[in-house]
Amino acid sequence: MLVRAITAPGLRRWCRGRRGAAAACFPLGRALLGVRGAEAAVFLQGLLTNDVTQLVAEGDAPPALYAHALNVQGRCLYDVILYRLHGSTAEEPHILLECDSSVLDSIQKHLKLYKIRRKVTITPCSELSLWAVIPGEQPGDASSLPKCADQALLLTPDPRTEVMGWRLITKKGANLSEIIPGSHVGDVQDYHRHRYKQGIPEGVKDLPPGVALPLESNLAFMNGISFTKGCYIGQELTARTHHMGVIRKRLLPVRFPEPPPGPGLPEGAQILTRSGKRAGKFRAGAGELGIALLRLAHANEPLRIELGGDTVELSASTPGWWPKAAAK
């Protein structure tokens, strides 16, 4: 497998802006699949919301893409990040597909169902490790990150939004301190807290398969969909919703005054306004932070969840990285 360092102008700018902040590396419980062959991009193009052909285009091809795989009703089955491993159009297309590890078997079956006779091989990459890299506030030199990237299999800005830092792929057992000097291995729960604070869904808890709708899940805000690429599974409802321009519910970050009692809130717990109107549903969380699908008409109101006779209060906010027009 080709070792390739990927740096981008935006990554360098952010490094300069965060000089003096040490990077934290979080080991992710996500799986990687290798999709390789002459028809790899064309094959994925009909299954995913984003324009996968960008990964094999000539010129300035992106190193990574975010996308959803939808069912025929237009609801999310899998959230994925695609990584380009081949270096040029002269090489055989080689794409890594990141997914929730709990759906690894089902996504393989899903891909093979539609593979038919295409010249594509689909192989789990258990020999690789996936990391999220996010600058912290401790002394260090984050500007060294791009300079040391050549020791990694792949290093790229997270394609969803700049606030999520980078994705790093290494071989199992790699020494992170050699790849990113001054960095430290963080608790993955801190990564999830960062995600929830920013309102970034990831995995089956945040995006229940067959339930979550892509535009309500802010897929367009996270650079995860192309409205010009043509047909793919689930495209009809998604395109119709986009062209109507009416999205009444969205995933939003929520905060509790203190962590909910006991084992936490059940997934799908009903969220109410102070007057008792239905405002949405809780998806998942970590400590006092979480993510919920909320009606935008009630997003700025005081909210509550009734839990076993107790009332748990919470509030929602609009992420700062959203497009300005969407935050109004």
Side-chain angles (χ1 to χ4, degrees):
M1 187 175 291
L2 180 67
V3 175
R4 186 165 303 278
I6 296 176
T7 61
L11 179 138
R12 296 191 188 99
R13 284 196 301 271
W14 200 35
C15 283
R16 288 197 295 267
R18 301 297 294 268
R19 197 177 296 275
C25 302
F26 300 98
L28 302 182
R30 304 268 286 175
L32 290 167
L33 276 175
V35 182
R36 191 168 194 167
E39 297 181 286
V42 176
F43 164 59
L44 293 172
Q45 180 78 340
L47 300 177
L48 300 175
T49 55
N50 216 334
D51 186 359
V52 185
T53 61
Q54 295 178 76
L55 293 176
V56 294
E58 294 184 7
D60 191 20
L65 287 176
Y66 179 58
H68 285 184
L70 310 181
N71 63 16
V72 293
Q73 290 80 32
R75 295 181 182 271
C76 178
L77 289 177
Y78 315 106
D79 64 304
V80 302
I81 297 179
L82 305 177
Y83 304 96
R84 172 175 52 83
L85 288 191
H86 56 277
S88 71
T89 55
E91 298 178 34
E92 180 183 67
H94 189 182
I95 298 170
L96 280 184
L97 184 151
E98 171 196 329
C99 65
D100 191 308
S101 58
S102 68
V103 299
L104 179 60
D105 290 341
S106 62
I107 198 170
Q108 286 185 83
K109 292 177 182 176
H110 180 74
L111 294 176
K112 289 176 181 178
L113 176 66
Y114 292 96
K115 178 176 176 285
I116 313 177
R117 293 185 177 89
R118 291 197 182 276
K119 297 177 182 178
V120 174
T121 58
I122 303 166
T123 312
C125 300
S126 56
E127 76 281 8
L128 300 179
S129 294
L130 176 68
W131 302 80
V133 182
I134 298 174
E137 300 302 329
Q138 298 302 315
D141 185 9
S143 64
S144 65
L145 183 58
K147 299 174 186 176
C148 301
D150 59 344
Q151 298 182 47
L153 180 69
L154 185 138
L155 172 69
T156 177
D158 191 306
R160 297 171 293 185
T161 171
E162 192 178 73
V163 299
M164 290 305 296
W166 303 274
R167 275 321 209 231
L168 171 66
I169 298 174
T170 69
K171 292 185 178 180
K172 284 235 189 287
N175 189 330
L176 270 293
S177 63
E178 292 181 0
I179 296 172
I180 308 174
S183 67
H184 65 278
V185 176
D187 185 337
V188 72
Q189 287 303 313
D190 290 335
Y191 166 76
H192 293 306
R193 286 173 54 81
H194 177 74
R195 279 200 307 107
Y196 291 133
K197 184 178 180 180
Q198 300 296 339
I200 302 292
E202 186 176 285
V204 297
K205 288 187 177 181
D206 300 346
L207 300 165
V211 175
L213 287 166
L215 298 185
E216 289 184 349
S217 304
N218 305 320
L219 187 63
F221 294 170
M222 294 187 289
N223 310 303
I225 189 167
S226 168
F227 295 108
T228 60
K229 62 171 280 187
C231 295
Y232 56 90
I233 295 174
Q235 182 235 6
E236 185 177 350
L237 175 63
T238 307
R240 187 166 66 245
T241 303
H242 169 69
H243 290 301
M244 289 177 62
V246 179
I247 301 173
R248 294 185 173 86
K249 293 183 287 184
R250 286 192 180 275
L251 282 181
L252 290 169
V254 294
R255 181 181 290 270
F256 302 91
E258 58 185 30
L265 296 172
E267 296 162 21
Q270 188 75 51
I271 299 176
L272 306 172
T273 65
R274 181 173 288 171
S275 61
K277 293 181 180 178
R278 293 185 178 183
K281 291 185 177 181
F282 180 74
R283 284 279 175 82
E288 77 279 11
L289 301 172
I291 197 167
L293 182 67
L294 294 171
R295 295 182 182 276
L296 296 177
H298 301 308
N300 295 322
E301 300 179 32
L303 302 171
R304 60 187 174 89
I305 295 175
E306 299 297 333
L307 184 65
D310 295 327
T311 297
V312 178
E313 296 182 349
L314 67 156
S315 60
S317 61
T318 300
W321 58 268
W322 275 20
K324 291 183 179 180
K328 294 180 180 178

